[in-house]
Amino acid sequence: DAGVIQSPRHEVTEMGQEVTLRCKPISGHNSLFWYRQTMMRGLELLIYFNNNVPIDDSGMPEDRFSAKMPNASFSTLKIQPSEPRDSAVYFCASSPDRDPNTIYFGEGSWLTVV
Amino acid sequence: GNSVTQMEGPVTLSEEAFLTINCTYTATGYPSLFWYVQYPGEGLQLLLKATKADDKGSNKGFEATYRKETTSFHLEKGSVQVSDSAVYFCALSDNNQGGKLIFGQGTELSVKP
């Protein structure tokens, strides 16, 4: 079975540019999560959706960050404009309603803003 | 609020040594507990889990027992291998919050031949 698929795997961009990260959750999973991992702050939950609806976005750092889930098989996390302090690994994860506490992670998008 | 505390790393062991990585938690209610592993350059993988007190999760020789009385979920393995070198994350999920995971800070394990 295909796992959570993220793209791009690696991105290097200049400060001020727009960055869009993409995620395809596991088919049949109802919840989707975006996490950010940095050395300083560890793993932080940014936002999560259930049945395509944002449930908790309290972890989104500021207005430069936005996330959408237009359908059950696709989500985006956008940063506009990007800043060097946004450099991190961004993970997408999903879980099914029948077992919502078991979360499956993608391999991450490694973002560097210079 | 809910939180997870792990022992600080890095932990360096010789091959075939016994491993313990301590994890304690603070939570209201009855959380589920997890160990995730992150190999270099990769995403997180679920290693094992336990959903109620006294449950033991196990996988690939690793074990952890949900101890409500000590609010702990320590990870153990009897004989580590070089291939176990990775970062290990303890996490809890509040069963009333739809699967949100709260992670510990991670413990890096390095196993030398």
Side-chain angles (χ1 to χ4, degrees):
Chain A
D1 289 340
V4 176
I5 299 172
Q6 292 187 244
S7 65
R9 288 297 315 278
H10 299 272
E11 177 145 350
V12 180
T13 191
E14 291 186 347
M15 185 173 70
Q17 296 297 306
E18 177 179 291
V19 173
T20 299
L21 308 178
R22 298 173 176 79
C23 175
K24 177 179 168 55
I26 294 172
S27 178
H29 283 195
N30 308 91
S31 292
L32 182 140
F33 308 82
W34 282 102
Y35 282 85
R36 178 172 67 177
Q37 184 179 37
T38 60
M39 289 293 292
M40 291 298 294
R41 301 174 68 92
L43 276 159
E44 304 172 279
L45 177 64
L46 300 178
I47 184 171
Y48 84 94
F49 297 83
N50 184 258
N51 293 324
N52 314 337
V53 176
I55 302 301
D56 184 349
D57 65 354
S58 59
M60 295 287 264
E62 50 197 273
D63 291 347
R64 296 185 299 106
F65 286 69
S66 61
K68 295 182 180 179
M69 191 165 186
N71 58 63
S73 59
F74 184 66
S75 176
T76 59
L77 178 67
K78 187 175 293 187
I79 310 172
Q80 167 64 21
S82 58
E83 297 182 3
R85 61 193 168 115
D86 302 330
S87 298
V89 185
Y90 291 83
F91 289 103
C92 180
S94 68
S95 70
D97 274 359
R98 67 180 183 279
D99 187 12
N101 297 311
T102 299
I103 299 175
Y104 298 85
F105 282 76
E107 293 189 328
S109 291
W110 302 67
L111 173 66
T112 302
V113 182
V114 298
Chain B
N2 296 345
S3 66
V4 176
T5 302
Q6 292 180 231
M7 64 186 287
E8 288 193 18
V11 173
T12 302
L13 296 173
S14 297
E15 207 164 20
E16 300 184 1
F18 184 86
L19 168 71
T20 300
I21 300 178
N22 290 339
C23 171
T24 57
Y25 67 91
T26 302
T28 56
Y30 304 95
S32 295
L33 301 173
F34 304 82
W35 278 100
Y36 280 82
V37 58
Q38 185 178 29
Y39 297 103
E42 299 185 9
L44 280 76
Q45 302 174 28
L46 178 64
L47 180 60
L48 53 85
K49 67 177 182 179
T51 58
K52 62 183 187 295
D54 300 325
D55 268 2
K56 177 186 284 187
S58 61
N59 186 25
K60 300 181 181 178
F62 291 90
E63 293 183 340
T65 301
Y66 189 145
R67 301 285 188 203
K68 187 166 172 56
E69 64 276 14
T70 55
T71 62
S72 65
F73 194 55
H74 304 321
L75 182 68
E76 296 181 337
K77 186 174 185 182
S79 174
V80 293
Q81 306 300 312
V82 173
S83 58
D84 294 326
S85 298
V87 180
Y88 292 81
F89 292 89
C90 185
L92 71 81
S93 177
D94 184 335
N95 291 321
N96 294 320
Q97 292 199 48
K100 284 177 61 175
L101 283 180
I102 296 171
F103 286 91
Q105 70 271 35
T107 302
E108 181 181 358
L109 170 65
S110 178
V111 181
K112 307 298 185 185

